[in-house]
Amino acid sequence: MNTLDTKDYIVFLIYFVIVAGYGLWIYNRKKAESMGSKDYFLAEGSLTWWAIGASLIASNISAEQFVGMSGSGFQIGLAISAYEWMAALTLIIVAVFFIPVYLKNKIFTMPQFLHQRYNGTVAMVMAIFWLLLYVVVNLTSILYLGAIAVSAISGISLTVCMYFLAFFAIIITLGGMKVIGYTDVIQVFFLILGGLATTYLALNLVAEHYGSSGVISGFSHMMDKAPEHFEMILHQDNENFLDLPGLTVLLGGLWIVNLNYWGCNQYIVQRALGADLKTAREGILFAAFLKLLMPVIVVLPGIAAYILYKEGSGTFPTDMTMNGELNQDRAYPVLLNLLPAGLKGLSFAALTAAVVASLAGKANSIATIFTLDIYKKVFNTGASEKKLVNVGKLSVIVSMILGVIIAPHLGIDKKGGFQYIQEYTGFVSPGIFAMFILGFFWKKATSNAALFATVGGFLFSLVFKFMPEWVDLSFLIPSGFAVKSAASGLVEIPFLDRMGFVFVICMVGMYLISMYESRHGVKPVSLEVDTKMFKAHPAFIAGSIIVIGILTALYTIFW
């Protein structure tokens, strides 16, 4: 039944009062103080390691994961967990090699990095691009998927849900990064507690369907009834190969997805830029441990829903359909509707927490880039600190209004929300990552080479995406990196492989352009990089070894 009981509303109200009340308290307290732009946008020096780690996860885990990734678990299986488990390893790499460079060079925004390393043109192009991407794609997709889930569970109209989520996020975001960071700790608590409750219910439902009880029994039945859903490496004859193309998941494009997202993304990196190196690394390592837990919360329920749907359990066959067709993204909301009163309110709060935390983090990053990299440099170079903070707050409100307007028109194809977002963000990730990685570690990389990666990376992605529709590229693409399209008989390139190819092209192109310009006297400005910065504390190293050990064990078990 798609309604909330009185007990559910009480549980949710407690959550709302705690989070919104704390956000308003900090906001009102800050109004009476002199708050500079760095304090507002970065919470400079005030976030602890556990707040940084919790904020990273709260900002990352949203409806995209709860709804989209759970839907991918329904469709694909445990293999979709590669995004989460490889992210844990990626976070360690970012903590060791990326964060020290940012902190050493006092980088506060990603466009600022590009300005210092390349030039103002590259920085401005990317600042505008990131704003468009964050508002038109990310903010709207979080808002849209979140509203669909909240509406499906509560019975409240989609429009009202979007307004509510946007308003809730604004309350938190207006307090600045410090409010976001510490409210995210509360959000993660509800997110994990409610998420685990849903997983417990889902596995127990599977067990009960087969006449037993308990999560262990449920998990065992799931592995017996759908062994193909517990393969981490998909073979080429798998219908989902285009989404997760075999070993290249471990060796190819997924590295670009993760390294670009966690290491070159204002939305994420911003959490650590206001801390010292030791605190930042500890927070990122904490996030890596939490990442290992995420598939239990967002993927296993999707697989359980698949089993219950396939076996015709209860009302699952009808509940999983929308407009007469199977809709994989309904897996998580359908499960939540089966929770008992009170527990449903807790899981509802967890889903809302995930959506609101991500909206708040995204809105703050939009405000940071617009205020520091566009407004201050173009419209008002002499703006006071108070003016910058006010412009940032106005940017938050405007971006959220735009999100509400655009969200209803967001088109998500039959891939499901998570895969849709991953693929189309992947059109730009290879070029951006190439520009950053060479900007970090190769002093000869020039601004023109960076522009080539930015624009050329996007164009080459389009070529690899659409050329197979009319040109057979089988003579260029190794068979292990492509499949035949059933419709046209031509070659289709999995988007993760496509990202790998484009990344290599961007790297080679940047190298050739930079070497040519170097021979003609161009001397780029390099960042200050000291190899001593990469030395990590023994406790961090020990924690990293534990994470790597757990990942190795997981891939060994589910190979």
Side-chain angles (χ1 to χ4, degrees), residues 90 95 242 249:
T90 302
L242 280 172
V249 170

Side-chain angles (χ1 to χ4, degrees), residues 107 109-124 373 377 525 527:
I107 301 296
T109 70
M110 298 302 97
Q112 180 198 347
F113 162 80
L114 297 176
H115 189 277
Q116 285 186 208
R117 179 57 184 84
Y118 295 114
N119 61 27
T121 301
V122 175
M124 188 57 64
D373 296 299
K377 291 182 178 178
V525 178
L527 297 174

Side-chain angles (χ1 to χ4, degrees), residues 1 3-12 153 197 201 335-349:
M1 186 176 182
T3 57
L4 296 176
D5 189 83
T6 303
K7 294 178 182 177
D8 298 321
Y9 281 113
I10 292 173
V11 172
F12 183 80
I153 297 162
L201 166 89
L335 284 171
L336 288 193
N337 281 323
L338 298 176
L339 286 168
L343 197 56
K344 184 178 179 180
L346 178 62
S347 294
F348 182 56

Side-chain angles (χ1 to χ4, degrees), residues 8-236:
D8 298 321
Y9 281 113
I10 292 173
V11 172
F12 183 80
L13 184 62
I14 292 171
Y15 152 74
F16 181 85
V17 169
I18 291 173
V19 177
Y22 178 72
L24 285 171
W25 177 69
I26 293 293
Y27 173 58
N28 288 325
R29 191 184 70 174
K30 287 291 184 181
K31 283 197 336 184
E33 299 176 3
S34 177
M35 180 166 53
S37 58
K38 290 180 183 178
D39 185 28
Y40 180 78
F41 294 115
L42 298 171
E44 191 170 23
S46 62
L47 293 184
T48 60
W49 64 267
W50 44 270
I52 291 172
S55 188
L56 282 168
I57 295 301
S59 298
N60 166 243
I61 301 298
S62 181
E64 182 181 339
Q65 274 75 18
F66 269 105
V67 178
M69 185 171 278
S70 189
S72 294
F74 180 98
Q75 175 69 25
I76 300 173
L78 193 64
I80 198 67
S81 300
Y83 280 94
E84 301 299 299
W85 286 340
M86 285 189 67
L89 184 56
T90 302
L91 280 163
I92 293 172
I93 294 172
V94 169
V96 173
F97 297 107
F98 286 41
I99 295 299
V101 178
Y102 287 135
L103 296 182
K104 181 72 173 179
N105 292 274
K106 295 180 172 58
I107 301 296
F108 301 118
T109 70
M110 298 302 97
Q112 180 198 347
F113 162 80
L114 297 176
H115 189 277
Q116 285 186 208
R117 179 57 184 84
Y118 295 114
N119 61 27
T121 301
V122 175
M124 188 57 64
V125 167
M126 288 308 302
I128 294 172
F129 166 76
W130 269 314
L131 280 182
L132 291 173
L133 181 68
Y134 286 170
V135 173
V136 177
V137 177
N138 298 113
L139 194 72
T140 52
S141 63
I142 294 169
L143 197 56
Y144 183 70
L145 286 173
I148 285 178
V150 172
S151 177
I153 297 162
S154 64
I156 302 171
S157 74
L158 183 68
T159 302
V160 172
C161 288
M162 281 196 292
Y163 289 154
F164 167 73
L165 291 171
F167 175 72
F168 196 174
I170 287 174
I171 291 175
I172 295 172
T173 314
L174 288 180
M177 180 52 72
K178 184 174 183 180
V179 173
I180 294 171
Y182 283 109
T183 53
D184 278 351
V185 176
I186 304 171
Q187 307 274 39
V188 165
F189 172 78
F190 278 96
L191 185 157
I192 292 177
L193 188 63
L196 288 175
T198 306
T199 301
Y200 175 84
L201 166 89
L203 269 62
N204 205 49
L205 281 174
V206 172
E208 289 175 357
H209 179 77
Y210 293 104
S212 57
S213 62
V215 294
I216 302 299
S217 177
F219 186 76
S220 178
H221 285 300
M222 285 164 58
M223 292 190 69
D224 288 340
K225 299 299 179 180
E228 75 284 356
H229 270 56
F230 287 90
E231 295 176 358
M232 285 301 297
I233 305 299
L234 303 185
H235 300 291
Q236 198 165 350

Side-chain angles (χ1 to χ4, degrees), residues 70 77 115 127 240-241 250 304 310 320 339 398:
S70 189
H115 189 277
N240 300 299
F241 183 80
L250 296 180
K310 188 176 74 168
M320 285 298 301
L339 286 168
V398 171

Side-chain angles (χ1 to χ4, degrees), residues 531-552:
T531 54
K532 293 180 181 178
M533 298 187 301
F534 304 138
K535 185 178 180 180
H537 190 276
F540 177 87
I541 296 173
S544 300
I545 292 173
I546 293 173
V547 170
I548 294 170
I550 294 173
L551 286 172
T552 303

